[in-house]
Amino acid sequence: MFSKDIYIQRRDTLKRLVGEGVIILMGNNESPCNYPNNGYYPFRQDSSFLYYFGQQRDGLVGVIDVDNNRETLIGNDIDIEDIVWYGSVDSVADMASQVGVANSAPMSALKDICDQARAQGRTVHFLPPYRHDTMIQLMDLLGIHPSKQREAASHALRMAVITMRSAKTPLEIEELERAAAIGYRMHTTAMQIVKPGVTEKFVGGQVDGIAHSYGTQTSFPTIFSQHGEIMHGNPSMAVLEAGRLALCDCGAETMEHYCSDNTRTMPVSGKFTQRQLDIYNIVVECHDHALQISRPGVKYMDVHMSVCRLMTERLKELGLMRGDVDEAVAAGAHAMFLPHGLGHMMGMDVHDMEGLDQIYVGFDEETRPRLDQFGTNCLRMGRRLEEGFVVTDEPGIYFIPALIDDWRASGHCAEFLNFDLLETYKDFGGIRIEDDILITADGCRFLGKDRIPYHAADVEAYMAQYR
Ligand code: GLY
Ligand code: MN
Ligand code: MN
């Protein structure tokens, strides 16, 4: 937890930005597995609740009555049976005072607070919910059916939270650096143990253990697969084979729940083949290019497009694409290889604030609507960069057999693609390289003191030390 002044200041700013009404910030509840007492799914506090109320316990709700400048932490104190099984925890009143909140109340008080505010014709602001238990709570409190809650959520509150959480403060950047240091250990461990004969699950499990050992947990389910062309490929019991590539996309959360998110793609044998290098070096060049051109005032949509053009130019040189580069990119032909966006905001959520709706987090009046074209329609960040923003830079080139077949059959972008050559790449897999960029006053830099090797020679030299 940060010092109480941080939370007091954040809530003061939130009150000023929202202006009126009662704000309720729902903390998360436990999520049991198979039976109520099996806390198998790890508890993760809601990030916006954490940002304003700092407490990591389940079953809490933060209430900010803007009109009366009254703040209350709502939650039930645990009873003697809970103490027997789980140990003592601070009372809700103590937890309130630790984050500078003057009042506390049991959960039963929340309905009265909401009823009274609504009877007075005041707005009850809540954020778009993403968990079904929270939706049931909101239905009981406000009488809004879960299917209508995301659209009924407060736009003023959403935009205030996005405004505040987008630019990271020096304190938050320290946390993100801590997460990057754990991420460095995760990825270099993968490079150490990747070898023919080892299962994907073994590597994934070792990497996850590091996140659990040095932070709270991974920042998202680890992607580790020889099928790098599957965007979210979970580690399987498949055995790593010499000659193939393994893609590792993983990150950690610090104890304060700030994230890292990096991807490396490595040769299982420790050495890239020439065919792999030809593609790998294009991804490296795109990755470095994004770092070179990202700075305050530049639209991340333009960085994404610039990377797409560079990738298309290089794929043309390999004979995989053809025709005019600008026309190919305008038609979306590059999405055969890069069917996702260049990056997303990152902070307390690995896809920061995605629950508040990406079209408001990553886009604004100037950059909406987002281009509705396959590939770019997955871009999560398009607006102008500002100092303190943290975004991922994650270009990739994938050979997706089903997509090759689909586009070939329909003739989609056929004038820009060499389908005969693509056919010979169906066994290639996919490559992604990802790092997290902090936008500084006059440019940007990668987060993380130690760079996880990514230039091909550095990856090979690092892996060679462990075989
Ligand atoms: N791991 C998901 C992502 O990189 O966005
Ligand atoms: Mn990632
Ligand atoms: Mn990412």
Side-chain angles (χ1 to χ4, degrees):
M1 193 185 302
F2 299 130
S3 76
K4 80 162 71 163
D5 295 346
I6 301 277
Y7 300 103
I8 293 170
Q9 278 167 19
R10 285 174 178 175
R11 292 192 302 269
D12 283 349
T13 306
L14 186 67
K15 280 180 252 184
R16 188 167 48 71
L17 290 176
V18 174
E20 54 75 41
V22 177
I23 298 167
I24 54 173
L25 288 169
M26 308 296 291
N28 276 334
N29 302 305
E30 279 189 325
S31 40
C33 174
N34 291 333
Y35 54 91
N37 279 337
N38 188 348
Y40 172 86
Y41 298 120
F43 173 73
R44 169 59 155 88
Q45 186 57 284
D46 174 78
S47 296
S48 291
F49 178 88
L50 267 182
Y51 188 83
Y52 295 103
F53 284 88
Q55 293 290 359
Q56 312 233 11
R57 212 202 85 178
D58 62 294
L60 299 174
V61 178
V63 177
I64 305 172
D65 183 334
V66 181
D67 307 314
N68 298 301
N69 194 20
R70 181 182 170 87
E71 299 172 340
T72 309
L73 183 66
I74 304 272
N76 294 333
D77 285 326
I78 66 170
D79 60 20
I80 187 65
E81 287 208 25
D82 288 329
I83 293 170
V84 168
W85 286 99
Y86 305 111
S88 297
V89 296
D90 292 338
S91 68
V92 176
D94 286 345
M95 284 193 281
S97 115
Q98 287 158 11
V99 291
V101 171
N103 310 287
S104 64
M107 194 53 81
S108 57
L110 187 55
K111 175 92 174 116
D112 294 340
I113 291 172
C114 292
D115 285 350
Q116 193 186 32
R118 293 165 79 216
Q120 292 166 342
R122 300 161 64 206
T123 314
V124 177
H125 301 271
F126 63 93
L127 292 173
Y130 53 92
R131 291 179 63 119
H132 298 106
D133 51 342
T134 309
M135 292 177 193
I136 293 170
Q137 283 180 289
L138 285 172
M139 185 160 65
D140 288 347
L141 291 170
L142 302 172
I144 305 170
H145 189 271
S147 64
K148 300 274 184 276
Q149 286 172 6
R150 285 193 71 85
E151 69 194 60
S154 164
H155 190 60
L157 178 59
R158 177 211 321 262
M159 295 314 294
V161 173
I162 291 171
T163 299
M164 292 182 66
R165 284 179 54 190
S166 290
K168 277 60 183 179
T169 61
L171 200 64
E172 293 181 290
I173 293 163
E174 276 177 35
E175 278 296 317
L176 290 162
E177 292 285 9
R178 269 186 205 111
I182 306 172
Y184 176 85
R185 284 179 190 254
M186 295 167 79
H187 280 274
T188 51
T189 297
M191 285 184 186
Q192 290 167 25
I193 63 178
V194 160
K195 295 187 174 65
V198 169
T199 63
E200 292 178 358
K201 263 182 90 62
F202 179 77
V203 180
Q206 296 290 308
V207 156
D208 286 1
I210 293 169
H212 288 271
S213 307
Y214 295 98
T216 45
Q217 55 193 32
T218 60
S219 52
F220 59 93
T222 292
I223 297 164
F224 182 84
S225 177
Q226 291 176 107
H227 282 285
E229 79 281 8
I230 300 173
M231 296 306 124
H232 288 172
N234 294 320
S236 74
M237 283 306 285
V239 172
L240 300 186
E241 295 168 19
R244 295 187 68 177
L245 295 169
L247 185 150
C248 181
D249 181 354
C250 62
E253 273 190 24
T254 62
M255 297 309 289
E256 295 301 326
H257 298 290
Y258 284 81
C259 299
S260 69
D261 183 12
N262 302 91
T263 306
R264 292 294 183 266
T265 309
M266 63 205 84
V268 170
S269 68
K271 279 206 84 70
F272 292 101
T273 65
Q274 188 56 50
R275 186 172 79 137
Q276 289 167 347
L277 268 184
D278 289 345
I279 302 295
Y280 189 87
N281 286 333
I282 298 175
V283 182
V284 169
E285 196 181 346
C286 290
H287 184 251
D288 289 344
H289 179 63
L291 183 77
Q292 279 152 14
I293 64 176
S294 296
R295 60 177 185 279
V298 170
K299 282 187 248 170
Y300 212 53
M301 169 65 98
D302 292 343
V303 180
H304 167 84
M305 286 302 176
S306 186
V307 162
C308 295
R309 281 193 297 275
L310 175 61
M311 188 178 286
T312 301
E313 188 73 54
R314 295 291 176 262
L315 289 168
K316 262 182 75 177
E317 289 163 13
L318 288 183
L320 282 159
M321 294 190 75
R322 58 187 169 214
D324 181 79
V325 168
D326 290 338
E327 285 176 21
V329 171
H334 60 282
M336 164 60 77
F337 305 93
L338 176 64
H340 61 72
L342 181 64
H344 49 85
M345 292 271 227
M346 196 192 70
M348 298 178 88
D349 308 322
V350 69
H351 288 185
D352 210 20
M353 300 174 279
E354 193 163 303
L356 304 183
D357 288 340
Q358 213 53 50
I359 205 66
Y360 298 110
V361 177
F363 297 84
D364 55 11
E365 294 78 15
E366 188 188 13
T367 45
R368 276 193 297 268
R370 168 172 54 183
L371 193 59
D372 186 24
Q373 182 186 68
F374 177 73
T376 302
N377 61 358
C378 293
L379 178 64
R380 293 187 161 91
M381 174 66 189
R383 67 182 166 119
R384 285 186 198 277
L385 298 167
E386 294 177 24
E387 184 179 357
F389 282 13
V390 172
V391 293
T392 63
D393 165 14
E394 51 180 306
I397 295 181
Y398 314 90
F399 294 89
I400 305 168
L403 192 62
I404 296 171
D405 289 344
D406 189 75
W407 286 26
R408 182 166 214 164
S410 67
H412 182 60
C413 286
E415 64 269 46
F416 303 113
L417 296 166
N418 182 345
F419 283 113
D420 287 343
L421 189 54
L422 268 165
E423 206 63 42
T424 70
Y425 278 80
K426 278 183 169 173
D427 62 347
F428 187 94
I431 292 171
R432 176 165 65 254
I433 301 173
E434 176 176 22
D435 284 297
D436 309 321
I437 289 180
L438 169 68
I439 306 302
T440 56
D442 54 3
C444 69
R445 68 172 175 85
F446 285 140
L447 285 173
K449 185 167 64 64
D450 298 314
R451 188 101 327 271
I452 309 161
Y454 71 92
H455 287 104
D458 296 340
V459 173
E460 290 181 349
Y462 188 87
M463 292 180 81
Q465 297 173 68
Y466 298 92
R467 27 209 74 225

